Every structure is written in C-alpha cells, then in structure tokens.
Amino acid sequence: MLHASRNVSLDYLKAFVIVLVVFLHSILAYPSWAFFNVNSFLNSSAPIVDPARCEFIDFIPSLLNGFFMALLFFISGLFVYQSLLTKGPVSFALTRLKRLGIPFAFCLVFVMPIAFYPSFLMSGSTKDFISFWFSWSWTSGPAWFLSLLLLFNCYAVIVYRLKLFPSFSSAIFIVSNPLVFFLVLVFASGFVYFPLMYFYGPFQWSSFGPLLIGQTSRLLFYLVYFSAGLIVGRVGLSSTFLLDSRVFLRRSFVWLIASAILGFIYFDSLKIVPINLTVPWSPPALWWINALIFCFYSAILLMSSFLLSFIFFSRRVDLLDHLSANSFGIYILHYPFVVWAQFFLLPFHLPGCLKLLIVFSFAFFFSWWASFLIRLSPRARYLLGG
C-alpha cells in the first residue's frame, strides 16, 4: 500500500465506482419500469427506452444508486483539507474551478448534446444535429456530479476560511474507530435525509435551467458524505481506520456479513417505495422505514467498499493504474457511447439482458480509449480535468 497522498486502494476504488456508473447508465434502457415520454423526451426515465426488457435488473439501479454516489462524494472530500492547507483557499478554489469547471463546461456544451440527440430523434423530430445543438434542448446529464462537487468544494473553502472544522480531538475520536464513524455517518445523513425524502421522494431531481443539480432528497445527504471525507482528511488518512486499518481488517468478517444482511433488507424495503416515475410523489405509510434502511445501507456499503479495496487492491497493477488514470475521463465521456449503443440496438430482436451487456462493454471500452487519446494531448487533457 502506498503512502497516504497516493493510496492504491483509494485510486482503484474510485475507478471501480466509475465503472459502476457506466454500468448503471447502460442498464437504464431495459428495466420493466422504464418509460419514454414522446412529448417531452427529457422527462423520460432514460434517454433511450428499449421494448426489450429485462425484469431481472429492475432493482439494480436502486441498489447501485443507494451507495455509490455517496461513496464517490466521500472519496472526493478526502484530500480537500490537505489541499487547502497546502495551496491556500484562493489557489485551491482556482485549481478546483479548472479541474471541475472546464470538464463540466465541455460536458454541457459538447458531450451532452451528442448524448441526447438520439433521444431527441426518438421523440419524432427530424431536426439535424446542428439545429438541435443551437436549440439547447438537453440537460447536463451525468455532469451534475461535477457541478455539485464544485459547489461542495466552494462550501469547503468557506468552512476553512471561517474555521468551522471540528476540533482535532473530536474529529480523531470519530474517524479512528470504524464503528463510531459508521454510527455518526448514519445519524448525520439520516438527520438531513428524512425531511427531504418526505417532501420530495427519492425520484425528483432539482435543476436550474439545463443544469441538473442532483436528486433533491439526497443533496444534503451527499453533502454529509463529502463533509465526512473532509473530516477524515482533516485528521489525516494515516490516523484513521482507512489507512491504519488493523482493527477494521480484524473484524472484516463482521462488516461484510452485516453489509450482506443490510443489502437484503434494503432490497426488500424497496417494495415500500415502488419505482413509478409517472405520478407525483406521495409518501406511503412506511416510507420512513425505507429511508432509515437507506441511510444504514449507504453507510455500511461505504465501509465494506473500503474494506474490500484494502483486501483486493493492496498492490499496483499496470492495467488498473491505466484504468484509474482514465477513470475521470471515462465518467465525462461515457454517456454518448451508452446512449448511441442503446439507440443502434433498438431494431435488433435480442434479449434485454444481452443488449445491456453489449452496451456496457461498448461504452466502457470506447470511453476508456477516448479518454486515453484525449489525455495524450497536454492541452486537450484539461477537458478531462488535467
């Protein structure tokens, strides 16, 4: 395992989460609950919805989305505090604006119109791509993560300038013990999640014009996970269970069993909140059970994800290093490959499960390849975060 500033487990875990993002978007054309709104394609459950369905995957989007974006925000917050100490708030803010703002603008102006054009055609329009591009009839899509992360980094600058970080002693008490960290994370995330979940439900998205901000009920939930990363970074990774992981690893069996049990419980709780994106949200009688289990599920999956990364990603591998180096680029570039692959597969009479595997394989490898090619250019690589 490498030193704290460049930890192999964290590098590979982040790359693995981004691979899961590509997989999630690849399957959204094929669940039985997917629908396409011909009159307003942006209000569809996904840009492309294929008549070939795969009921086996109906709950996979909820299971994946229940933890991996929170995990990604947590990882993104880990090195923010040390970067603020090293660069100072002004230099840090400018660096973050360059690393996140340029890729976001590139995504919004160029990548997303290419991604949404097949969906636009599915609505019955005959406009050419240039006309579509000038009409600005798309959203920021998966780039919402970049814009929200940029806002969270601005929040970190404010917290740093106002000296609102928790004291070192209280922070180290939380992050040195995995069980304490887990319970604090569940409580804090539940405190902000419950009210928003009650009023907005799990499916509503906040937006500002064409800019998607994020799932409304999870905006503060993600902020809690990002803040948890800040606190861990405030103490220093080497002083937490994330690097000094002997206690964590000794009880690995307990954590993994607990994760499996909570996974099954969360899967069962999804029946309380049926996936129906066509009707306004009205909280069912037992919505709070689903919300409570969700908070436990996200936290336990974060713990087990780190645990598994310690176990399986303890040494560097050239292929995984290459994937890790291009993972941010894969995130930025994958969506057009996903949507166009789904679009071209529409006429073929193949099982939905087979189609999603084809889409995932195509999108993953070609976005990886495209990221590699772009990053060869010292100037163009800034489009992918430098």
Side-chain angles (χ1 to χ4, degrees):
M1 193 171 288
L2 299 186
H3 54 82
S5 63
R6 199 77 239 170
N7 181 271
V8 60
S9 298
L10 297 181
D11 286 345
Y12 292 172
L13 178 58
K14 185 176 181 180
F16 179 70
V17 172
I18 290 176
V19 173
L20 289 181
V21 171
V22 179
F23 180 70
L24 172 65
H25 291 151
S26 299
I27 69 179
L28 289 180
Y30 307 105
S32 63
W33 47 261
F35 71 95
F36 188 82
N37 190 331
V38 177
N39 298 319
S40 178
F41 69 93
L42 291 178
N43 291 321
S44 305
S45 61
I48 301 294
V49 175
D50 198 305
R53 302 303 174 92
C54 180
E55 294 184 2
F56 173 74
I57 64 168
D58 277 2
F59 289 106
I60 290 180
S62 294
L63 292 173
L64 291 177
N65 204 26
F67 80 95
F68 70 177
M69 294 311 297
L71 174 59
L72 205 52
F73 278 111
F74 175 80
I75 295 173
S76 300
L78 284 176
F79 300 103
V80 168
Y81 185 83
Q82 295 302 322
S83 184
L84 279 165
L85 278 180
T86 304
K87 298 178 180 179
V90 174
S91 178
F92 170 82
L94 292 175
T95 302
R96 292 289 95 183
L97 183 63
K98 181 179 179 181
R99 175 160 172 76
L100 296 173
I102 292 176
F104 175 74
F106 172 61
C107 246
L108 181 63
V109 178
F110 296 105
V111 178
M112 287 305 118
I114 296 174
F116 279 101
Y117 186 59
S119 186
F120 180 68
L121 296 177
M122 286 278 292
S123 67
S125 178
T126 56
K127 281 186 180 180
D128 59 78
F129 177 75
I130 299 300
S131 300
F132 170 71
W133 191 79
F134 277 106
S135 71
W136 200 279
S137 302
W138 63 88
T139 69
S140 52
W144 70 267
F145 170 71
L146 304 180
S147 57
L148 189 58
L149 183 57
L150 185 58
L151 288 176
F152 286 175
N153 277 271
C154 293
Y155 147 83
V157 171
I158 295 172
V159 170
Y160 179 81
R161 290 284 295 188
L162 298 179
K163 299 180 180 179
L164 297 177
F165 277 92
S167 66
F168 187 85
S169 58
S170 59
I172 200 168
F173 172 75
I174 294 172
V175 302
S176 60
N177 187 302
L179 180 59
V180 173
F181 177 81
F182 168 75
L183 293 175
V184 170
L185 188 59
V186 170
F187 175 80
S189 60
F191 182 78
V192 299
Y193 179 65
F194 268 64
L196 294 177
M197 172 66 173
Y198 177 79
F199 286 109
Y200 298 103
F203 309 121
Q204 181 170 323
W205 285 73
S206 294
S207 61
F208 182 75
L211 307 182
L212 287 180
I213 308 300
Q215 286 169 275
T216 308
S217 62
R218 299 186 185 182
L219 293 177
L220 296 180
F221 183 87
Y222 291 146
L223 181 59
V224 166
Y225 273 76
F226 179 79
S227 300
L230 288 179
I231 294 173
V232 171
R234 160 78 173 87
V235 172
L237 288 175
S238 59
S239 301
T240 73
F241 68 90
L242 293 179
L243 285 189
D244 186 13
S245 55
R246 289 164 293 182
V247 174
F248 194 29
L249 289 172
R250 277 202 303 268
R251 296 172 181 164
S252 59
F253 182 76
V254 175
W255 284 105
L256 294 177
I257 291 296
S259 299
I261 293 172
L262 266 171
F264 282 113
I265 294 174
Y266 179 63
F267 176 80
D268 194 57
S269 77
L270 294 174
K271 300 171 186 176
I272 299 173
V273 184
I275 301 176
N276 189 343
L277 309 181
T278 61
V279 297
W281 165 254
S282 178
L286 300 177
W287 70 271
W288 60 272
I289 295 179
N290 171 263
L292 179 63
I293 296 172
F294 169 74
C295 293
F296 274 91
Y297 173 76
S298 295
I300 198 74
L301 262 291
L302 181 144
M303 306 295 287
S304 59
S305 296
F306 273 99
L307 186 56
L308 290 172
S309 73
F310 293 148
I311 295 172
F312 293 107
F313 300 146
S314 59
R315 295 181 181 179
R316 290 205 169 267
V317 178
D318 288 343
L319 183 64
L320 294 181
D321 277 342
H322 195 276
L323 173 62
S324 177
N326 287 282
S327 60
F328 194 63
I330 292 171
Y331 186 91
I332 293 168
L333 298 171
H334 77 277
Y335 210 49
F337 292 105
V338 167
V339 177
W340 278 96
Q342 292 168 340
F343 180 69
F344 280 120
L345 286 175
L346 284 173
F348 294 92
H349 299 289
L350 299 171
C353 292
L354 177 59
K355 283 188 174 184
L356 73 87
L357 291 176
I358 295 172
V359 170
F360 170 67
S361 301
F362 175 84
F364 173 56
F365 288 109
F366 276 91
S367 58
W368 186 352
W369 177 68
S371 173
F372 169 69
L373 291 181
I374 291 175
R375 293 179 72 253
L376 289 177
S377 168
R379 293 185 178 180
R381 66 187 299 141
Y382 287 111
L383 299 175
L384 305 182

